Amino acid sequence: MDLTKLKSGTDIRGTAWGDDIQLSDETVERIALGFAAYLHKKTGVPVDEMSVCVGHDSRISAERIKNAIVRALSSRGVRVLDCGLCSTPAMFTVCLDSDCTASIQITASHHPYDKNGLKFFTRDGGFEGDEISEVLANAEKEVPVGNIPSAVERYNYMPIYCARLRKLITDALGEGTPLDGLHIVEDAGNGAGGFFASSVLAPLGADVSGSEFLEPDGMFPNHIPNPENETAMGFICRSVVENGADLGVIFDTDVDRAACVGSNGKEINRNALVALASVIALKNSPGGTIVTDSVTSDGLKEFIEKDLGGVHYRYRRGYKNVINKAKELNAQGIDCPLAIETSGHAALRDNYFLDDGAYLMVQIIILLARLRAAGKELTDLLKTLREPKEAREIRFKITTENFAEYGKKVLAELESYCAGFNFLTPAPDNREGFRVNFDKEHGNGWLLLRLSVHDPVMPLNIESDEEGGADKIEAFFRQFVSQYEFLC
């Protein structure tokens, strides 16, 4: 098979369970060998002197894929350390806390149980897209090792990672049990995140009763572990209300994304989560710049710039895109403490610009504890955040083979089309796709059309500040799009 098809941005992903398996043992072995070859080029360390930590989330194919990686790497003399069930952020920090050359996390994030994938880390951070391409190019030249004896050592790293998180809390709030009196419920979605309630919060005094789906189960029998999923968010909102909790936290499968729920049972997600993270980030960086993805609301921009005194830099979808832009701005001397997507990927400069859902939730819990001591709630900080009256996303499929070029053509022609209407104003920060504002008489909001990062899809996002406004904006767009036979 063409291994380049397994590239998904800065990850490798494919079907790993069922009848049509892309990540077969042989394919995984070749990728692991391709990774070792690239790692030698990147670090200069001879392959037989490398040590590589391997972890995984709860997916049902994880053990098989891990065994294939171990076979391949140990066949070349690599020392392999099995970290077992781990979060993705932990598989980066293991590179900081140990002398390993690199690490591999086996995960497909929020994707269905039959998918899986690989993420690669060194002390410098996660691999970039061009590095993934080189790994896969190397893999094309490798020969699977087959059923040979392999060697692996057990490394129980998660307790060290949990201690890192607990120390953040005790450094901020004091030793002992600083979370006494706080009732926090967690929903891990049967992914890798169950450690947060049992090994981070409970030892510091938090009441975690009512937490759900903490046990790993790679079939995800209760709901998809995804903070963007409506059903998943419904579970954690209900849990907060039924248990009278002060806060609810929810993670995706590998804990690099998160969201939370206030004591009123209302979710703090998407724009609201970006706003709350901005409060935290700008506390020690007054006037700093917050990098977000392209679909954030106008109300959020007002909140960051008018209420918090920061700068909102609306960029592109893709967590690596916002992270790399934030790093670039800092290198230019622009104070940028936070890169965050509305999907829940949040990377703070204070945490190596690592997208770590558990780290973000720790910072929010610290903030909550301090607010409670002053008789306030998290939601008090968000009272001035203006949310749209209506919001929707419609995904248009591109049905022609050269979808990227076709999508670019549609975007260029949409921009030209909109220039003919005096009630439309292009957004001043169009850095992805085309975003245009509608005046009060014609929808009182905006639309953003963009090309998906990986797929033959053009997502259309619409927001309006009045009831019925989204219908007006959508009707305008559908009149335009009706001329494109390969967009449906």
Side-chain angles (χ1 to χ4, degrees), residues 87 89-90 92-93 161-162 164-169 172 195-196 200-201 249-251 254-259 273 277 280-281 284 337-339 344 346-367:
S87 71
F92 165 70
T93 60
Y161 174 76
C162 291
R164 271 177 165 266
L165 297 179
R166 291 196 303 271
K167 188 174 186 300
L168 289 170
I169 296 172
F195 69 87
F196 193 71
V200 178
L201 302 182
V249 299
I250 182 171
F251 298 112
D254 61 329
V255 200
D256 60 355
R257 292 192 296 128
L273 184 66
I280 293 167
N284 296 319
L338 172 66
L348 288 110
R349 182 176 56 200
D350 292 345
N351 190 40
Y352 310 98
F353 273 122
L354 173 66
D355 53 324
D356 184 344
Y359 183 90
L360 177 62
M361 290 301 108
V362 160
Q363 297 301 323
I364 288 174
I365 288 166
I366 291 169
L367 178 59

Side-chain angles (χ1 to χ4, degrees), residues 103-118:
S103 67
I104 302 173
Q105 172 73 344
I106 304 166
T107 181
S109 188
H110 62 281
H111 288 273
Y113 74 91
D114 62 332
K115 308 296 183 185
N116 218 323
L118 303 172

Side-chain angles (χ1 to χ4, degrees), residues 161-330:
Y161 174 76
C162 291
R164 271 177 165 266
L165 297 179
R166 291 196 303 271
K167 188 174 186 300
L168 289 170
I169 296 172
T170 55
D171 283 352
L173 301 177
E175 296 293 330
T177 54
L179 300 184
D180 274 338
L182 281 180
H183 187 176
I184 303 171
V185 294
E186 178 195 351
D187 185 329
N190 301 113
F195 69 87
F196 193 71
S198 61
S199 299
V200 178
L201 302 182
L204 298 183
D207 177 0
V208 296
S209 61
S211 294
E212 293 184 300
F213 318 135
L214 304 185
E215 291 299 317
D217 185 333
M219 293 297 292
F220 311 130
N222 295 290
H223 63 71
I224 296 172
N226 182 3
E228 286 192 289
N229 180 265
E230 185 177 348
T231 300
M233 289 307 299
F235 270 99
I236 188 62
C237 290
R238 174 189 53 77
S239 183
V240 168
V241 172
E242 290 184 355
N243 291 282
D246 302 303
L247 183 72
V249 299
I250 182 171
F251 298 112
D252 72 344
T253 319
D254 61 329
V255 200
D256 60 355
R257 292 192 296 128
C260 59
V261 175
S263 59
N264 58 2
K266 300 293 179 64
E267 61 182 68
I268 301 174
N269 204 2
R270 297 184 63 81
N271 286 297
L273 184 66
V274 177
L276 191 57
S278 298
V279 171
I280 293 167
L282 292 174
K283 180 179 179 182
N284 296 319
S285 294
T289 296
I290 306 298
V291 178
T292 74
D293 58 0
S294 59
V295 301
T296 46
S297 72
D298 291 339
L300 175 66
K301 188 174 188 69
E302 292 170 6
F303 181 82
I304 291 172
E305 298 191 343
K306 294 182 180 179
D307 293 47
L308 302 183
V311 176
H312 180 207
Y313 192 101
R314 191 183 282 125
Y315 195 49
R316 296 163 52 197
R317 292 282 281 181
Y319 70 96
K320 269 289 191 177
N321 288 328
V322 295
I323 289 171
N324 287 342
K325 176 54 67 173
K327 289 179 177 179
E328 177 188 321
L329 293 176
N330 277 293

Side-chain angles (χ1 to χ4, degrees), residues 3-52:
L3 297 186
T4 61
K5 293 180 179 179
L6 299 175
K7 182 176 183 289
S8 178
T10 55
D11 303 345
I12 289 171
R13 286 182 185 162
T15 304
W17 191 267
D19 297 329
D20 187 19
I21 293 178
Q22 296 171 300
L23 291 176
S24 65
D25 287 8
E26 294 80 4
T27 295
V28 172
E29 289 169 8
R30 290 167 61 188
I31 292 171
L33 295 174
F35 163 69
Y38 177 74
L39 192 59
H40 169 64
K41 174 185 174 182
K42 181 180 176 73
T43 66
V45 177
V47 171
D48 60 0
E49 295 180 17
M50 293 176 181
S51 59
V52 175

